[in-house]
Amino acid sequence: MRHIISLLMENEAGALSRVAGLFSARGYNIESLTVAPTEDPTMSRMTIVTSGSDDVIEQINKQLNKLVDVVTVMDLTDGDHIERELMLVKVLATGESREELKRIADIFRGRIIDVSDKTYTIELTGAGSKLDSFLQAIDRGLILETVRTGASGIGRGDRILKL
Amino acid sequence: MELTGAEITIRCLQEEGVEYIFGYPGGAVLFIYDELFKQDKVKHILVRHEQAAVHAADGYARSTDKVGVALVTSGPGVTNAVTGIATAYLDSIPLVVISGQVPTSFIGEDAFQEVDAVGITRPCVKHNFLVKDPKDIASTLKKAFYLAKSGRPGPVLVDIPKDVSNQKAEFSYPATVNIRSYNPQVQGDIGQIKRAAQMLLEAKRPMVYAGGGVILSDASKQLTELVRLLGAPCTNTLMGLGGYPASDKQFVGMLGMHGTYEANFGMQNCDVLLAVGARFDDRVIGNVAHFNSVPRKIIHIDIDPASISKRVKVDVSIVGDVAHVLSDMLAVLNSSKQKPDANAQKNWWKQIDEWRGANSLSYKNSSEIIKPQYVIETLHKITHGDAFVVSDVGQHQMWAAQYYKFNQPRRWINSGGLGTMGFGLPAAMGVQLAHPGATVACVTGEGSIQMNIQELSTCKQYNVPIKIVALNNRYLGMVRQWQEFFHGNRYSHSYMDALPDFVKLAEAYGHVGILVEKPSDVEGALKEAFARKNDLVFLDFRTDSTENVYPMVPGGKGLSEVILAEDL
Ligand SMILES: Cc1cc2nc3c(=O)[nH]c(=O)nc-3n(C[C@H](O)[C@H](O)[C@H](O)COP(=O)(O)OP(=O)(O)OC[C@H]3O[C@@H](n4cnc5c(N)ncnc54)[C@H](O)[C@@H]3O)c2cc1C
Ligand SMILES: Cc1ncc(C[n+]2csc(CCOP(=O)(O)OP(=O)(O)O)c2C)c(N)n1
Ligand SMILES: [Mg+2]
């Protein structure tokens, strides 16, 4: 099953490679991994999207907790949560597809953030599945470039990951 | 007062009460060596290879309850140390390894003798640090010692660039240490402990399986008391030997791949299993599905939550330090009105004694050829079962584990998790330095000893009078055994051709060598060697090269699918 694991870790050089190294050394899947400092500059927050059996996920959580740089770990998928990902897509927008692409972007609540005479760059946020659907909705041949951040997640209501 | 980074480093070691540091110099650590030179509190042992420095620090740590310390230079110094670090990591041994690094301004330039020490050791340390500022050395070393020793112990590497060891900073050694992201749980949950106690009281066929965690926690007293109170059979893993007295009647021997029949059948058939500081290793539970095919309740005590339900699912998990948890469990049991079910236990012991009757460690002695088991039994006799026995890796290791009955913790020193050939001699050196005057035997094979033989020179320099008991079977015996069992007797590259004359070799290093070829000479040679209190004696026993280690549960098989000597 797919799990979204959020963690706070010391903003130390090398902390990221400890997490990445753990996943590769133990053969765990990483679908995506994002990390950036928080409002407390000594700490970074990481979101890891992974998949595995319940046993594997349990081990992943324990092994992450065991890393000395990791302050706290939460499996967001254990409860209500929100997941968002940002995607930028550059598409070939000429002739009639120019109108068509604008319409589809609107439907997905995307924004065109850069325009040239041949291209649009569309910004889209949402759960990963929404971004996937957007890519499926437009003509594959028109996609010049896509870049995705990987998921960030947060618990709903008073589910809070804090020190 | 301002001190250089190198001075600070040595002052920290002094503050930690470090008695010995095992090391090897080189460019990146010259400032640190300079400071070592100027003081005599921390004694430096110059090894002949960095791997040996780490193994020696490791042996020192295993035989005491202290942190072992090693010092190596950058580049090849660190890479040579990696095997030692990984060895300590897999057996959870507390070490602080200090490595030199190229100057900070050179890092990343493929500088002379530069390797990414933090990167290379990351997967085999508990934690590591690169110190970029001399003002951080003291706090980092404080953390390093604390991390190494607390919780589940392990090696910690501190990488110090050369310029950092030469720059000055204010020195004060922190009295306490607080790492917000690291809080190992020492006390066990009392609710879980009560549940476990109740389960044990209701057991019809209880079994205690105790491992290296008991040794690391110095909890053999509590374990022994608990096992006696429960009246249950107790087995030890290879790493746990000595955690429960081997001569006690409730001890059923080691379990696992080369465990006794009674220990493995007890594991398989018990109804409540208490696992104490043991991690259900694949050399212990080879085939998890086979193990799970018999229902039983499992209680697991371990300080590392990640050890629990990793390979085998458990019913009651207790995260905490063995000594603390067992003390609490004893208190619960002692205040309970309920006593273990004596009737059920009588039957259980009847069954166990039947398994014992298989006499799975019996072997046929010979008057023609030296049997390795006989050497170990005689070693036990001559040393009154009271020696520190440090082993290398192979068949000789298993025979030492099986036939030297350990009654005390920290007397059996070996590389279990990584199985590092070459561990024995340097580790024995560390053990002897930690216990001057004690009897230290290094049980080894002609293969293993050659992996760190150069340490004979270190032993000469520092008068380390260990006794090397080489079971020389002219084979990489453990490999040969697997080839005999599983590869159609094709002995591919397991024969050691062109062996050195070990007696002459020992003599060349300034030690005493004794060649023993006849069974009737075994006892006399051992007596002679151990009587030489101040000499390192190399005993070259020419043992039966066809002998195999029994019992054997082949890899991937269940605990009851065992091969006994008589089966073949
Ligand atoms: C050739 C060869 C053959 C082998 N054959 C066998 C065999 O037949 N049988 C066998 O048993 N092994 C055998 N081994 C060794 C095996 O590979 C493992 O090293 C060993 O079984 C692990 O022992 P352990 O479970 O006690 O764990 P250890 O590696 O000693 O781990 C200790 C456990 O205790 C925990 N712990 C540490 N400190 C504390 C504390 N203070 N409080 C609570 N918990 C703590 C740790 O978290 C860990 O889970 C063999 C090795 C070799 C090289
Ligand atoms: C560094 C290293 N290389 C290879 C092995 C694989 N191995 C395990 S036991 C063994 C043979 C050991 O031979 P020896 O020291 O003569 O001991 P014996 O088994 O003959 O008693 C080998 C090669 C190992 N454990 N460690
Ligand atoms: Mg051999």
Side-chain angles (χ1 to χ4, degrees):
Chain A
M1 203 183 110
R2 181 171 179 270
H3 283 250
I4 307 173
I5 296 171
S6 258
L7 57 92
L8 290 170
M9 62 186 198
E10 298 293 347
N11 196 2
E12 297 272 356
L16 170 60
S17 57
R18 289 182 209 279
V19 174
L22 172 73
F23 274 74
S24 66
R26 295 190 183 264
Y28 304 143
N29 297 318
I30 299 187
E31 189 180 297
S32 71
L33 184 159
T34 71
V35 60
T38 62
E39 76 286 358
D40 171 355
T42 66
M43 247 185 317
S44 291
R45 171 133 174 183
M46 184 182 274
T47 309
I48 304 168
V49 180
T50 183
S51 58
S53 64
D54 290 352
D55 291 352
V56 168
I57 299 295
E58 181 182 334
Q59 266 297 310
I60 290 177
N61 276 291
K62 286 173 168 176
Q63 293 290 348
L64 283 170
N65 258 309
K66 199 170 146 177
L67 292 175
V68 171
D69 283 337
V70 170
V71 182
T72 169
V73 180
M74 181 182 197
D75 188 341
L76 287 176
T77 3
D78 280 348
D80 284 348
H81 64 280
I82 303 163
E83 175 191 346
R84 286 291 180 277
E85 182 175 358
L86 170 70
M87 174 168 72
L88 304 177
V89 197
K90 190 174 289 179
V91 288
L92 193 63
T94 50
E96 57 202 49
S97 61
R98 214 166 160 88
E99 238 344 272
E100 170 76 2
L101 284 163
K102 167 110 186 36
R103 244 192 36 247
I104 299 176
D106 284 343
I107 292 170
F108 280 85
R109 295 174 196 272
R111 293 198 303 144
I112 297 174
I113 53 170
D114 185 49
V115 178
S116 77
D117 50 357
K118 290 207 197 66
T119 67
Y120 280 157
T121 299
I122 302 166
E123 174 196 309
L124 204 67
T125 352
S129 53
K130 172 180 158 185
L131 307 188
D132 293 341
S133 328
F134 176 76
L135 292 176
Q136 273 154 22
I138 58 178
D139 183 349
R140 191 79 200 231
L142 298 178
I143 301 175
L144 298 171
E145 206 181 339
T146 62
V147 50
R148 298 172 66 152
T149 57
S152 285
I154 197 161
R156 277 195 190 274
D158 44 20
R159 273 191 95 201
I160 291 165
L161 182 63
K162 242 189 140 51
L163 183 57
Chain B
M1 195 187 30
E2 290 227 313
L3 303 178
T4 66
E7 284 177 277
I8 293 174
T9 304
I10 301 304
R11 286 287 294 276
C12 291
L13 298 181
Q14 293 172 348
E15 292 281 344
E16 285 291 335
V18 173
E19 186 186 11
Y20 283 108
I21 182 165
F22 301 88
Y24 207 89
V29 284
L30 281 178
F31 291 113
I32 298 176
Y33 269 86
D34 206 29
E35 291 310 319
L36 272 172
F37 189 81
K38 295 177 193 160
Q39 56 88 55
D40 54 12
K41 268 198 196 146
V42 181
K43 284 172 276 191
H44 179 269
I45 302 294
L46 176 69
V47 293
R48 301 300 187 259
H49 188 297
E50 288 88 350
Q51 181 188 346
V54 183
H55 288 330
D58 179 323
Y60 180 92
R62 289 183 203 234
S63 67
T64 59
D65 61 349
K66 298 183 195 154
V67 177
V69 186
L71 172 61
V72 300
T73 192
S74 69
V78 174
T79 53
N80 272 350
V82 168
T83 301
I85 295 172
T87 302
Y89 180 68
L90 280 213
D91 290 342
S92 305
I93 305 303
L95 296 185
V96 169
V97 178
I98 300 173
S99 55
Q101 182 54 280
V102 301
T104 42
S105 61
F106 290 23
I107 290 179
E109 293 185 346
D110 302 319
F112 176 64
Q113 296 195 326
E114 177 183 2
V115 295
D116 174 9
V118 163
I120 255 181
T121 58
R122 186 183 305 117
C124 59
V125 291
K126 181 167 174 185
H127 198 59
N128 56 20
F129 300 92
L130 168 65
V131 189
K132 287 192 171 145
D133 192 316
K135 74 172 173 10
D136 297 333
I137 292 179
S139 61
T140 304
L141 281 169
K142 179 82 190 178
K143 280 185 196 164
F145 277 89
Y146 170 62
L147 285 170
K149 191 78 181 79
S150 58
R152 179 176 184 169
V156 178
L157 177 108
V158 180
D159 199 31
I160 307 181
K162 186 167 185 177
D163 54 330
V164 174
S165 66
N166 192 30
Q167 290 156 6
K168 290 197 162 177
E170 202 59 47
F171 172 68
S172 77
Y173 200 60
T176 57
V177 55
N178 172 35
I179 305 174
R180 64 177 171 182
S181 57
Y182 174 79
N183 301 292
Q185 189 172 335
V186 173
Q187 214 74 41
D189 180 88
I190 192 70
Q192 292 289 82
I193 293 173
K194 284 183 178 154
R195 269 184 71 200
Q198 195 52 39
M199 221 175 232
L200 285 163
L201 285 173
E202 277 158 24
K204 306 271 179 246
R205 302 183 307 278
M207 172 101 186
V208 179
Y209 148 59
V214 173
I215 311 285
L216 293 163
S217 171
D218 287 310
S220 29
K221 220 184 99 240
Q222 291 88 329
L223 175 72
T224 309
E225 204 180 322
L226 180 79
V227 171
R228 300 237 166 100
L229 196 149
L230 293 174
C234 178
T235 179
N236 280 154
T237 67
L238 182 72
M239 299 314 295
L241 293 174
Y244 189 84
S247 58
D248 190 86
K249 59 183 188 320
Q250 280 171 254
F251 188 62
V252 290
M254 182 171 83
L255 83 167
M257 182 174 275
H258 294 298
T260 65
Y261 197 74
E262 52 273 33
N264 284 339
F265 273 69
M267 277 295 274
Q268 189 71 10
N269 295 292
C270 64
D271 69 341
V272 177
L273 178 66
L274 175 64
V276 191
R279 55 188 175 83
F280 292 92
D281 185 79
D282 52 273
R283 290 247 153 156
V284 169
I285 309 293
N287 183 330
V288 173
H290 182 276
F291 184 63
N292 286 340
S293 67
V294 185
R296 71 178 78 64
K297 292 262 179 276
I298 303 179
I299 303 158
H300 194 176
I301 304 170
D302 203 292
I303 202 156
D304 179 1
S307 279
I308 298 178
S309 291
K310 182 173 64 178
R311 296 192 74 238
V312 171
K313 280 261 172 228
V314 306
D315 301 280
V316 181
S317 70
I318 306 172
V319 177
D321 170 58
V322 170
H324 285 81
V325 173
L326 291 188
S327 299
D328 289 347
M329 194 177 281
L330 279 165
V332 170
L333 287 168
N334 281 324
S335 64
S336 164
K337 278 185 232 75
Q338 198 176 339
K339 295 291 157 225
D341 183 339
N343 239 353
Q345 292 215 352
K346 223 162 82 202
N347 290 331
W348 180 221
W349 275 105
K350 215 177 113 209
Q351 173 69 76
I352 288 164
D353 286 337
E354 233 164 74
W355 290 324
R356 260 186 182 154
N359 233 335
S360 61
L361 291 181
S362 66
Y363 67 96
K364 234 198 236 103
N365 209 352
S366 157
S367 56
E368 305 293 315
I369 188 155
I370 301 176
K371 290 288 180 179
Q373 301 93 326
Y374 171 65
V375 178
I376 304 295
E377 283 183 339
T378 314
L379 174 67
H380 182 269
K381 184 173 144 195
I382 297 304
T383 57
H384 313 291
D386 201 27
F388 287 90
V389 178
V390 186
S391 179
D392 254 308
V393 171
Q395 289 183 314
H396 59 273
Q397 175 187 23
M398 293 300 110
W399 288 316
Q402 292 173 330
Y403 295 92
Y404 199 99
K405 308 290 180 192
F406 294 93
N407 278 331
Q408 292 174 69
R410 298 191 184 276
R411 289 298 168 100
W412 165 240
I413 313 283
N414 82 136
S415 164
L418 198 66
T420 310
M421 288 172 69
F423 173 81
L425 173 53
M429 216 161 69
V431 171
Q432 183 78 79
L433 287 164
H435 305 273
T439 304
V440 180
C442 168
V443 175
T444 183
E446 80 298 331
S448 293
I449 192 72
Q450 292 189 76
M451 284 214 180
N452 267 319
I453 190 95
Q454 76 287 346
E455 298 310 313
L456 285 175
S457 173
T458 314
C459 290
K460 186 66 194 170
Q461 182 172 350
Y462 299 98
N463 301 313
V464 182
I466 58 174
K467 308 296 176 268
I468 297 175
V469 178
L471 303 182
N472 182 349
N473 53 7
R474 282 84 64 213
Y475 271 104
L476 301 174
M478 187 55 94
V479 172
R480 190 203 56 73
Q481 174 169 347
W482 281 57
Q483 290 170 334
E484 178 185 330
F485 286 15
F486 313 118
H487 298 277
N489 297 298
R490 289 179 298 280
Y491 299 131
S492 178
H493 305 277
S494 51
Y495 180 65
M496 274 282 176
D497 228 348
L499 285 172
D501 179 332
F502 286 111
V503 170
K504 279 194 186 145
L505 189 67
E507 286 168 3
Y509 278 106
H511 302 300
V512 178
I514 303 176
L515 175 66
V516 193
E517 294 180 294
K518 290 207 300 276
S520 54
D521 290 339
V522 168
E523 184 162 344
L526 281 166
K527 274 189 176 150
E528 183 188 341
F530 283 95
R532 288 175 169 269
K533 290 267 177 253
N534 300 316
D535 293 320
L536 183 153
V537 183
F538 193 119
L539 290 145
D540 179 3
F541 290 100
R542 296 297 164 85
T543 56
D544 186 350
S545 59
T546 63
E547 193 58 50
N548 289 322
V549 181
Y550 296 107
M552 179 169 191
V553 179
K557 291 283 186 194
L559 284 174
S560 53
E561 300 173 302
V562 55
I563 307 173
L564 294 174
E566 71 212 34
D567 292 344
L568 297 160

Coordinates of all heavy atoms in Angstrom, one line a residue, chain B residues 63-112:
Chain B
S63 N 35.2 -6.7 26.1 CA 35.6 -7.4 27.3 C 35.4 -6.5 28.5 O 35.6 -6.9 29.7 CB 37.0 -7.9 27.2 OG 37.9 -6.7 27.1
T64 N 35.1 -5.2 28.3 CA 34.9 -4.3 29.5 C 33.5 -3.8 29.2 O 32.7 -4.3 28.4 CB 35.9 -3.1 29.4 OG1 35.7 -2.4 28.2 CG2 37.3 -3.6 29.5
D65 N 33.1 -2.7 30.0 CA 31.8 -2.1 29.6 C 32.1 -0.7 29.1 O 31.3 0.2 29.2 CB 30.8 -2.1 30.7 CG 31.3 -1.4 31.9 OD1 32.5 -1.0 31.9 OD2 30.5 -1.1 32.8
K66 N 33.3 -0.5 28.5 CA 33.8 0.8 28.1 C 33.7 1.0 26.6 O 33.5 0.0 25.8 CB 35.2 1.0 28.5 CG 35.4 1.0 30.0 CD 36.8 1.3 30.4 CE 37.1 0.9 31.9 NZ 38.5 0.6 32.0
V67 N 33.9 2.2 26.2 CA 33.9 2.5 24.7 C 35.3 2.3 24.2 O 36.3 2.8 24.8 CB 33.4 4.0 24.5 CG1 33.5 4.3 23.0 CG2 32.0 4.2 25.0
G68 N 35.4 1.6 23.1 CA 36.8 1.4 22.5 C 37.1 2.6 21.6 O 36.1 3.2 21.0
V69 N 38.3 3.0 21.5 CA 38.7 4.2 20.7 C 39.8 3.9 19.7 O 40.8 3.3 20.1 CB 39.1 5.4 21.6 CG1 39.3 6.6 20.8 CG2 38.1 5.6 22.7
A70 N 39.6 4.3 18.5 CA 40.7 4.2 17.5 C 40.9 5.5 16.8 O 40.0 6.3 16.7 CB 40.2 3.1 16.5
L71 N 42.1 5.6 16.2 CA 42.5 6.8 15.5 C 43.2 6.4 14.2 O 44.2 5.7 14.2 CB 43.5 7.6 16.4 CG 44.2 8.8 15.9 CD1 43.2 9.9 15.5 CD2 45.2 9.4 16.9
V72 N 42.7 6.9 13.1 CA 43.3 6.6 11.8 C 43.4 7.9 11.0 O 42.7 8.9 11.2 CB 42.4 5.6 11.1 CG1 42.3 4.3 11.8 CG2 41.0 6.1 10.7
T73 N 44.2 7.8 10.0 CA 44.4 8.9 9.1 C 43.4 8.9 8.0 O 42.5 8.0 7.9 CB 45.9 9.0 8.5 OG1 46.1 10.3 7.9 CG2 46.1 7.9 7.5
S74 N 43.4 10.0 7.1 CA 42.4 10.1 6.1 C 42.6 9.0 5.0 O 43.6 8.3 5.0 CB 42.5 11.5 5.5 OG 43.7 11.6 4.7
G75 N 41.8 9.0 4.0 CA 42.0 8.1 2.8 C 42.1 6.7 3.2 O 41.2 6.0 3.7
P76 N 43.3 6.1 2.9 CA 43.5 4.6 3.1 C 43.4 4.3 4.6 O 43.0 3.1 4.9 CB 44.9 4.4 2.6 CG 45.6 5.7 2.6 CD 44.5 6.7 2.3
G77 N 43.6 5.2 5.5 CA 43.5 4.9 6.9 C 42.0 4.6 7.2 O 41.7 3.6 7.9
V78 N 41.2 5.4 6.7 CA 39.7 5.2 6.9 C 39.2 4.0 6.2 O 38.5 3.2 6.8 CB 38.9 6.4 6.4 CG1 37.4 6.2 6.5 CG2 39.3 7.7 7.2
T79 N 39.6 3.8 4.9 CA 39.1 2.7 4.2 C 39.5 1.4 4.9 O 38.8 0.4 5.0 CB 39.4 2.7 2.7 OG1 40.8 2.9 2.6 CG2 38.7 3.8 2.0
N80 N 40.8 1.3 5.3 CA 41.2 0.1 6.1 C 40.4 -0.1 7.3 O 40.2 -1.2 7.8 CB 42.7 0.3 6.5 CG 43.6 -0.2 5.4 OD1 43.2 -0.8 4.4 ND2 44.9 0.1 5.5
A81 N 39.9 1.0 7.9 CA 39.2 0.9 9.2 C 37.7 0.4 9.0 O 37.1 -0.1 9.9 CB 39.2 2.2 9.9
V82 N 37.3 0.5 7.7 CA 35.8 0.2 7.5 C 35.4 -1.2 7.9 O 34.3 -1.4 8.5 CB 35.5 0.5 6.0 CG1 34.1 0.0 5.7 CG2 35.5 2.0 5.7
T83 N 36.2 -2.2 7.6 CA 35.8 -3.6 8.0 C 35.7 -3.7 9.5 O 34.8 -4.3 10.0 CB 36.9 -4.6 7.5 OG1 36.9 -4.5 6.1 CG2 36.5 -6.0 7.9
G84 N 36.6 -3.0 10.2 CA 36.5 -3.0 11.7 C 35.2 -2.3 12.2 O 34.5 -2.8 13.1
I85 N 34.9 -1.2 11.5 CA 33.7 -0.4 11.9 C 32.4 -1.3 11.7 O 31.6 -1.4 12.5 CB 33.7 0.9 11.2 CG1 34.9 1.8 11.6 CG2 32.4 1.6 11.4 CD1 35.0 3.1 10.8
A86 N 32.4 -1.9 10.5 CA 31.2 -2.7 10.1 C 31.1 -3.9 11.1 O 30.0 -4.3 11.5 CB 31.3 -3.2 8.7
T87 N 32.2 -4.4 11.5 CA 32.2 -5.6 12.4 C 31.5 -5.1 13.7 O 30.7 -5.8 14.3 CB 33.6 -6.0 12.7 OG1 34.2 -6.4 11.5 CG2 33.6 -7.2 13.7
A88 N 31.9 -4.0 14.2 CA 31.4 -3.4 15.5 C 29.9 -3.1 15.3 O 29.1 -3.3 16.2 CB 32.2 -2.2 15.9
Y89 N 29.6 -2.6 14.1 CA 28.2 -2.1 13.9 C 27.2 -3.3 14.0 O 26.2 -3.3 14.6 CB 28.1 -1.5 12.5 CG 26.7 -1.0 12.2 CD1 26.1 0.0 12.9 CD2 26.0 -1.6 11.2 CE1 24.9 0.5 12.6 CE2 24.7 -1.2 10.9 CZ 24.1 -0.1 11.6 OH 22.9 0.3 11.3
L90 N 27.6 -4.4 13.3 CA 26.7 -5.6 13.3 C 26.5 -6.2 14.6 O 25.5 -6.9 14.9 CB 27.1 -6.6 12.2 CG 26.8 -6.2 10.8 CD1 26.5 -7.5 9.9 CD2 25.6 -5.3 10.6
D91 N 27.5 -6.1 15.5 CA 27.4 -6.7 16.8 C 27.0 -5.6 17.9 O 27.1 -5.9 19.1 CB 28.7 -7.4 17.2 CG 28.9 -8.7 16.4 OD1 27.9 -9.2 15.7 OD2 30.0 -9.2 16.3
S92 N 26.7 -4.4 17.5 CA 26.3 -3.4 18.4 C 27.4 -3.1 19.5 O 27.1 -3.1 20.7 CB 25.0 -3.7 19.1 OG 24.0 -3.9 18.1
I93 N 28.6 -2.8 19.0 CA 29.7 -2.6 20.0 C 30.0 -1.1 20.0 O 30.2 -0.5 19.0 CB 31.0 -3.4 19.6 CG1 30.6 -4.9 19.4 CG2 32.1 -3.2 20.5 CD1 30.0 -5.5 20.6
P94 N 30.1 -0.5 21.2 CA 30.4 0.9 21.3 C 31.8 1.3 21.0 O 32.8 0.9 21.7 CB 30.1 1.2 22.8 CG 30.3 0.0 23.5 CD 30.0 -1.2 22.5
L95 N 32.0 2.1 19.9 CA 33.3 2.5 19.6 C 33.3 4.0 19.2 O 32.2 4.4 18.6 CB 33.8 1.8 18.3 CG 34.1 0.3 18.3 CD1 34.7 -0.1 17.0 CD2 35.1 -0.1 19.4
V96 N 34.4 4.7 19.4 CA 34.5 6.0 18.8 C 35.8 5.9 17.9 O 36.8 5.6 18.4 CB 34.7 7.1 19.8 CG1 35.1 8.5 19.2 CG2 33.3 7.3 20.6
V97 N 35.6 6.2 16.6 CA 36.7 6.1 15.7 C 36.9 7.5 15.2 O 36.0 8.2 14.7 CB 36.4 5.2 14.5 CG1 37.5 5.2 13.5 CG2 36.1 3.8 15.0
I98 N 38.1 8.0 15.5 CA 38.5 9.4 15.0 C 39.3 9.2 13.7 O 40.3 8.5 13.7 CB 39.3 10.1 16.1 CG1 38.4 10.2 17.4 CG2 39.7 11.5 15.6 CD1 39.2 10.8 18.6
S99 N 38.9 9.9 12.7 CA 39.7 9.9 11.5 C 40.1 11.3 11.1 O 39.4 12.2 11.3 CB 38.8 9.3 10.3 OG 37.6 10.0 10.2
G100 N 41.3 11.3 10.5 CA 41.8 12.6 10.0 C 41.1 12.8 8.6 O 40.7 11.9 8.0
Q101 N 41.0 14.1 8.2 CA 40.5 14.4 6.9 C 41.4 15.4 6.3 O 42.1 16.1 7.0 CB 39.0 14.9 7.1 CG 38.3 15.2 5.8 CD 38.3 14.1 4.8 OE1 39.2 13.9 4.0 NE2 37.2 13.3 4.7
V102 N 41.3 15.6 5.0 CA 42.1 16.6 4.3 C 41.6 18.0 4.8 O 40.5 18.1 5.3 CB 42.0 16.5 2.8 CG1 42.5 15.1 2.3 CG2 40.6 16.7 2.3
P103 N 42.4 19.0 4.7 CA 42.0 20.3 5.2 C 40.6 20.7 4.5 O 40.4 20.4 3.4 CB 43.1 21.2 4.7 CG 44.3 20.4 4.6 CD 43.8 19.0 4.2
T104 N 39.8 21.5 5.3 CA 38.5 21.8 4.8 C 38.5 22.4 3.4 O 37.6 22.1 2.6 CB 37.8 22.8 5.8 OG1 38.7 23.8 6.2 CG2 37.2 22.0 7.0
S105 N 39.5 23.3 3.1 CA 39.5 24.0 1.8 C 39.8 23.0 0.7 O 39.6 23.3 -0.5 CB 40.5 25.1 1.8 OG 41.8 24.5 2.1
F106 N 40.3 21.8 1.0 CA 40.6 20.8 0.0 C 39.5 19.8 -0.2 O 39.5 19.1 -1.2 CB 41.8 20.0 0.3 CG 43.2 20.7 0.3 CD1 43.2 22.1 0.4 CD2 44.4 20.0 0.2 CE1 44.4 22.8 0.4 CE2 45.6 20.7 0.1 CZ 45.6 22.1 0.3
I107 N 38.5 19.8 0.7 CA 37.4 18.8 0.6 C 36.7 18.9 -0.7 O 36.3 20.0 -1.1 CB 36.5 18.9 1.8 CG1 37.2 18.4 3.1 CG2 35.2 18.0 1.6 CD1 36.4 18.5 4.3
G108 N 36.5 17.8 -1.4 CA 35.8 17.8 -2.7 C 36.7 18.0 -3.9 O 36.2 18.0 -5.0
E109 N 38.0 18.2 -3.6 CA 38.9 18.4 -4.8 C 39.6 17.2 -5.2 O 40.7 17.3 -5.9 CB 39.9 19.5 -4.4 CG 39.2 20.8 -4.2 CD 40.2 22.0 -4.0 OE1 41.4 21.7 -3.7 OE2 39.8 23.1 -4.1
D110 N 39.2 16.0 -4.7 CA 40.0 14.8 -4.9 C 41.4 15.0 -4.4 O 42.4 14.6 -5.1 CB 40.0 14.3 -6.4 CG 38.6 14.1 -6.9 OD1 37.8 13.5 -6.2 OD2 38.3 14.5 -8.1
A111 N 41.5 15.6 -3.3 CA 42.8 15.9 -2.7 C 43.6 14.6 -2.4 O 43.0 13.5 -2.3 CB 42.6 16.7 -1.5
F112 N 44.9 14.8 -2.1 CA 45.7 13.6 -1.7 C 45.1 13.0 -0.5 O 44.8 13.6 0.5 CB 47.1 14.1 -1.5 CG 48.0 13.0 -0.9 CD1 48.3 11.9 -1.8 CD2 48.5 13.0 0.3 CE1 49.1 10.8 -1.3 CE2 49.3 12.0 0.8 CZ 49.6 10.9 0.0

